[in-house]
Amino acid sequence: MYLPLPFKKSFYDLRSGHRLFGPMGALGDKETRSPLVRAHGRLLFIASWFLVVFVVLGLRLVDVMGFSPMGMPQLWGDGDKFLENKRADIVDRNGVLLATNVKTSSVYANPYRIQNPKKLATDLAKILTSSSEDEIYQKVTSGKKFVWLARNLSPQKQMQIHRLGNPALGFHQEEKRIYPHGKLMAHVLGFTNVDNKGMGGVEHHFNQNLTSAQTPLQLSLDVRLQHVLYNELQASMSQFDAPGGAGILMNAKTGEILALVSLPDFDPHHPQKIDQKARFNMATLGVYEMGSVMKLFNVAMALENGIGLSKTYDASSPIKVARFQIKDYKIRNENKIFNVPEGFILSSNICAAKMALEVGIEKQKEFMSRLGLSSKPTLELPEIGRPLLPTPWRQINLMTISYGYGMSMSPLQVVSALASLMNGGTFHQATLLKKEGFMGGKVDGVRVLSEENSLTVRKLLRLVITHGTGKKAAAEGYLVGGKTGSAHVQMAGRKGYNTKENIATYVAAFPMNDPECVLFILLDRPKGRKETYGNTTAGWTVAPMVSRIVSRVAPILGIAPVQEQKEVFTNLLAVPGFSLDA
Amino acid sequence: MIRLIVAMVILILGVGFCLFHFKYRVVSLEGDLRVMEEIILEKKQNIRLLEAEWEHVTTPSRIQELCQKHLSVEALKASSYIHMSQIPFRDDDHILDLVQASLAPSEVKSLSSKTISMKSQVRTSSQSSLSFLP
């Protein structure tokens, strides 16, 4: 602080007490004060300014130290090296990992900084087997400032490239969706695009949940059961040179899907290579005329509408409706007067049609609707097919539907309806999410059939295995019940049927004393083989597969084998009015 | 007044030093924490990768292939299963009685205490191993 002295005054004047500023002092004193007093005052003035400045500095210090955020030191250079998981895992019912995200590296180059592009291209081509030397050379001499050389490298390849020590190369950390089981559950899981967005299957259906939550999504599938179904279906497709196949294994008591396979399928790691045929989910999106499998629903409908098992039908001559003729397929029986169980196990079209005629169109419509066969089903997948129904629903449709023609539905619908017939008559919506109370638990549903009729249908299904067309599906000890179905393939433009090709289907349930699981298998246009004597029907092509599947699946599910000939089972599953020696 | 100012200055300096010291201590600890968090995250990523790899190498199709190649095992048939009640369990008490009967009376006396304890052990272990049965 500097206080200028008045002009022409010396410090002598200050010391001698001369007035410096005339009548008033420099500090405004009216009285003349000694220089020491005045100096004291000035010092105080200066000190108070210092104090103010220190206080301000102190406050600023507190502010800086206490309240200002300080940037964290950049420890790893690359800010996104450690990425949090951006998409939740998917696990099966036992917690086995089905889909997860892993950190991968992608390598890029700045061509401006490359000194010897030829050598770099040669070195990289040895590591990056997916690109040729020429391709890499073209990229690194493109004149751009940034070029991707390879995406999603393995840690080994990243290390090898890193060891090249070329400053023009850099790595970018990314996340990649990995499906450890590969194709096994491709149609259920779907896949994601490069931005990690779900593009099919549960990845698409639960896209929002998977991106917002970090807890794994638990499905009802069991990877072991899925493998069995996949393995057997693939083997049968190969054996019978079938272009496609589908299978669903469902918990009959809860509606949980334990395994779902549709072939051909795709590798979810390479979505750009998926063709339309492989992407088509035959199990949930495809709708088919189910053939004789529908007789099961027809007989259940008849039982619900008061038709007894002892009722007989004359199947000796075909039914003629307009220009159509309904006849039976290869039934050798001289008598040809069948009661309900006989007509069912011999798979008589005439009996089925006559039963349906007795029930009527409205009741058939109502029953199909009750079993969810005439409306689009729900499942946690975007690929869901809508059934094809006859419009108008005439008498000819009433009859053809009874034995599986004129109405197309998806395997998903059939398996859900079958489960409701097997479990005592309760319909559960099919689901891909794990429910509590598996194997013996109770889950709410809608009653569609009486318990008594459910038991009768089970007995009839068992009869098909022991005495009917589905004998080859028997699996020792597991009391399998099932029904074959072989429908001719409809020609393009609805110009009739190709009688040389068929879609072979099979519905099964086990164990029939208290069904735990239901199974649906479809084989698309199987070819006859020497071992099948040229036959392509489900009894020859699909039934043996069902037997193998049940034998492999039941131990995994903890279903204990039983002695099938034991009285307790034969009595329980005996059909009244039907002689076992018939 | 001067004392007050000096005291104030010393106080401010002291507080400033403390603040400085604690602040940088906290910054240092936060740095350590961040390093730890990054290490944890890296380990988690590695675990995730290992889990995916484990699932890949233990996928059922591969296990089946390896079993068929290296092991001569087949799937169990239904006839391979029997009920627990059909398993002829060893009657340990009866075996111990037979052993006792075959020995001389003096040996039996020396063994009796051991036998009793063995019997009780056998009983306890058989009970515990079968306790899961319905």
Side-chain angles (χ1 to χ4, degrees):
Chain A
M1 188 66 63
Y2 170 70
L3 290 174
L5 289 166
F7 189 61
K8 288 182 181 177
K9 293 286 178 187
S10 68
F11 279 97
Y12 171 78
D13 299 324
L14 286 173
R15 202 174 60 230
S16 58
H18 288 155
R19 293 171 69 97
L20 290 175
F21 298 101
M24 276 183 70
L27 302 171
D29 296 339
K30 288 185 179 177
E31 292 175 12
T32 304
R33 290 184 298 182
S34 75
L36 276 174
V37 173
R38 275 181 282 159
H40 187 251
R42 286 173 185 172
L43 273 172
L44 266 180
F45 180 76
I46 293 163
S48 60
W49 271 107
F50 269 98
L51 187 66
V52 168
V53 170
F54 269 110
V55 167
V56 169
L57 284 173
L59 289 173
R60 176 65 184 145
L61 197 64
V62 171
D63 177 45
V64 169
M65 294 286 112
F67 303 109
S68 302
M70 283 186 73
M72 290 291 118
Q74 196 69 34
L75 295 162
W76 299 100
D78 193 347
D80 58 0
K81 182 168 182 178
F82 299 97
L83 298 163
E84 281 286 359
N85 203 18
K86 287 177 181 170
R87 199 173 174 85
D89 293 347
I90 302 175
V91 295
D92 85 341
R93 65 179 309 109
N94 302 312
V96 174
L97 198 64
L98 304 180
T100 188
N101 275 22
V102 295
K103 188 185 68 180
T104 58
S105 298
S106 295
V107 61
Y108 60 86
N110 180 353
Y112 279 105
R113 296 179 66 186
I114 298 170
Q115 290 179 340
N116 188 346
K118 186 72 188 166
K119 185 177 181 305
L120 181 66
T122 311
D123 291 341
L124 281 174
K126 288 176 189 165
I127 302 165
L128 303 172
T129 47
S130 56
S131 303
S132 69
E133 190 179 329
D134 288 342
E135 284 172 350
I136 297 170
Y137 184 75
Q138 279 177 3
K139 282 182 183 174
V140 296
T141 53
S142 62
K144 293 176 185 171
K145 286 183 180 174
F146 179 95
V147 282
W148 284 117
L149 294 176
R151 306 295 291 267
N152 298 316
L153 295 168
S154 66
Q156 289 85 354
K157 284 188 177 176
Q158 187 193 1
M159 186 62 78
Q160 286 173 335
I161 294 169
H162 190 71
R163 279 182 185 155
L164 293 176
N166 196 315
L169 301 179
F171 295 99
H172 179 69
Q173 304 295 327
E174 290 180 308
E175 278 201 356
K176 184 173 168 60
R177 196 70 163 162
I178 294 287
Y179 303 92
H181 299 281
K183 289 177 167 186
L184 187 60
M185 274 156 281
H187 280 289
V188 177
L189 298 177
F191 56 93
T192 58
N193 63 8
V194 285
D195 299 319
N196 261 334
K197 189 180 172 195
M199 299 301 286
V202 291
E203 290 276 25
H204 177 84
H205 187 88
F206 291 108
N207 190 51
Q208 189 68 34
N209 309 54
L210 287 166
T211 47
S212 59
Q214 284 296 305
T215 48
L217 174 69
Q218 189 161 35
L219 301 184
S220 58
L221 297 182
D222 185 321
V223 75
R224 301 164 302 170
L225 305 176
Q226 179 80 9
H227 164 69
V228 172
L229 196 56
Y230 189 99
N231 187 241
E232 291 294 346
L233 197 60
Q234 202 174 35
S236 289
M237 276 174 63
S238 169
Q239 186 187 354
F240 298 107
D241 195 20
I248 303 177
L249 181 71
M250 180 187 264
N251 180 346
K253 292 173 180 172
T254 61
E256 289 172 295
I257 290 177
L258 304 172
L260 189 150
V261 179
S262 172
L263 293 172
D265 57 0
F266 54 85
D267 184 352
H269 295 117
H270 301 105
Q272 68 280 5
K273 292 180 184 170
I274 303 171
D275 65 52
Q276 283 302 311
K277 199 180 170 192
R279 199 175 165 175
F280 186 81
N281 189 341
M282 289 176 71
T284 59
L285 186 59
V287 290
Y288 309 91
E289 287 176 321
M290 291 292 168
S292 298
V293 162
M294 286 299 287
K295 287 173 190 160
L296 173 67
F297 304 120
N298 189 57
V299 82
M301 175 185 74
L303 292 170
E304 278 289 282
N305 287 284
I307 295 175
L309 290 179
S310 55
K311 177 99 186 186
T312 54
Y313 297 94
D314 182 3
S316 56
S317 54
I319 305 172
K320 285 178 185 170
V321 185
R323 60 190 173 92
F324 301 103
Q325 209 178 42
I326 296 169
K327 54 189 177 185
D328 285 337
Y329 178 78
K330 287 185 184 175
I331 294 181
R332 293 190 197 94
N333 193 317
E334 289 169 6
N335 182 16
K336 289 218 172 179
I337 305 288
F338 301 136
N339 61 20
V340 172
E342 286 166 346
F344 184 67
I345 65 164
L346 293 170
S347 203
S348 166
N349 295 341
I350 299 168
C351 276
K354 287 188 172 176
M355 252 187 272
L357 275 174
E358 210 169 319
V359 173
I361 293 174
E362 288 312 311
K363 284 182 178 170
Q364 187 187 45
K365 272 185 179 176
E366 188 274 327
F367 192 74
M368 295 294 158
S369 164
R370 223 195 293 175
L371 294 181
L373 295 172
S374 56
S375 55
K376 190 179 173 182
T378 58
L379 190 70
E380 296 85 0
L381 290 178
E383 299 91 1
I384 300 293
R386 189 180 287 279
L388 297 176
L389 308 175
T391 40
W393 199 307
R394 292 178 294 209
Q395 200 175 48
I396 182 68
N397 304 113
L398 166 76
M399 286 190 279
T400 57
I401 286 169
S402 72
Y403 59 88
Y405 287 91
M407 180 176 170
S408 302
M409 60 200 73
S410 65
L412 173 67
Q413 287 176 286
V414 175
V415 82
S416 303
L418 174 67
S420 65
L421 298 192
M422 294 296 106
N423 66 13
T426 308
F427 183 86
H428 300 288
Q429 287 290 353
T431 179
L432 280 166
L433 297 179
K434 188 182 177 182
K435 284 183 185 174
E436 295 302 322
F438 176 56
M439 303 302 274
K442 294 275 178 189
V443 177
D444 290 339
V446 182
R447 176 156 294 280
V448 292
L449 194 77
S450 70
E451 280 200 36
E452 188 190 348
N453 286 336
S454 170
L455 179 62
T456 309
V457 172
R458 270 153 47 194
K459 288 175 179 178
L460 291 174
L461 267 194
R462 177 68 188 154
L463 211 58
V464 176
I465 296 282
T466 54
H467 292 78
T469 52
K471 284 176 187 165
K472 291 184 195 309
E476 188 200 344
Y478 296 112
L479 292 169
V480 184
K483 180 79 190 87
T484 55
S486 303
H488 295 309
V489 179
Q490 206 169 52
M491 289 190 286
R494 295 200 164 198
K495 291 175 182 171
Y497 291 91
N498 179 354
T499 52
K500 288 179 183 168
E501 290 185 325
N502 59 43
I503 289 177
T505 50
Y506 204 105
V507 289
F510 60 95
M512 290 312 280
N513 55 324
D514 182 19
E516 294 284 359
C517 289
V518 290
L519 176 67
F520 177 91
I521 300 287
L522 180 149
L523 213 51
D524 184 17
R525 288 167 284 164
K527 311 286 182 299
R529 289 285 175 265
K530 195 179 170 186
E531 60 270 24
T532 66
Y533 307 102
N535 284 303
T536 59
T537 51
W540 288 94
T541 54
V542 189
M545 188 197 336
V546 170
S547 169
R548 292 194 300 271
I549 291 171
V550 175
S551 301
R552 290 176 70 180
V553 153
I556 297 172
L557 289 166
I559 297 170
V562 294
Q563 290 179 7
E564 294 184 352
Q565 304 310 320
K566 265 192 172 180
E567 216 171 307
V568 61
F569 300 118
T570 48
N571 284 349
L572 177 72
L573 298 170
V575 178
F578 181 82
S579 163
L580 293 178
D581 303 321
Chain B
M1 187 65 184
I2 293 292
R3 281 182 191 161
L4 181 69
I5 291 165
V6 170
M8 289 281 284
V9 168
I10 290 168
L11 190 70
I12 287 165
L13 285 173
V15 169
F17 175 78
C18 288
L19 271 171
F20 185 82
H21 178 73
F22 290 132
K23 174 75 179 181
Y24 275 87
R25 186 109 186 264
V26 169
V27 168
S28 165
L29 288 172
E30 279 179 347
D32 290 349
L33 179 68
R34 188 173 152 78
V35 170
M36 286 294 171
E37 281 173 350
E38 284 172 348
I39 290 169
I40 290 166
L41 202 55
E42 191 191 13
K43 297 292 175 201
K44 278 184 180 172
Q45 294 277 10
N46 290 343
I47 290 167
R48 191 184 299 283
L49 191 68
L50 287 170
E51 278 176 348
E53 205 158 318
W54 176 251
E55 294 302 342
H56 181 64
V57 296
T58 58
T59 196
S61 57
R62 186 168 177 272
I63 300 287
Q64 185 180 334
E65 199 177 297
L66 291 173
C67 281
Q68 285 167 347
K69 193 176 174 185
H70 300 291
L71 304 172
S72 55
V73 291
E74 285 179 2
L76 285 174
K77 290 175 182 165
S79 54
S80 310
Y81 296 87
I82 54 169
H83 197 266
M84 282 295 266
S85 61
Q86 292 173 274
I87 299 171
F89 281 106
R90 197 175 58 171
D91 185 354
D92 296 290
D93 285 2
H94 180 61
I95 290 166
L96 286 169
D97 289 341
L98 285 175
V99 170
Q100 273 186 336
S102 66
L103 294 172
S106 59
E107 290 171 312
V108 171
K109 204 174 182 182
S110 66
L111 278 172
S112 60
S113 58
K114 287 182 186 173
T115 310
I116 290 163
S117 66
M118 274 173 71
K119 275 187 174 183
S120 61
Q121 274 178 15
V122 166
R123 207 168 287 128
T124 323
S125 63
S126 65
Q127 278 168 357
S128 63
S129 64
L130 299 176
S131 59
F132 65 90
L133 289 174

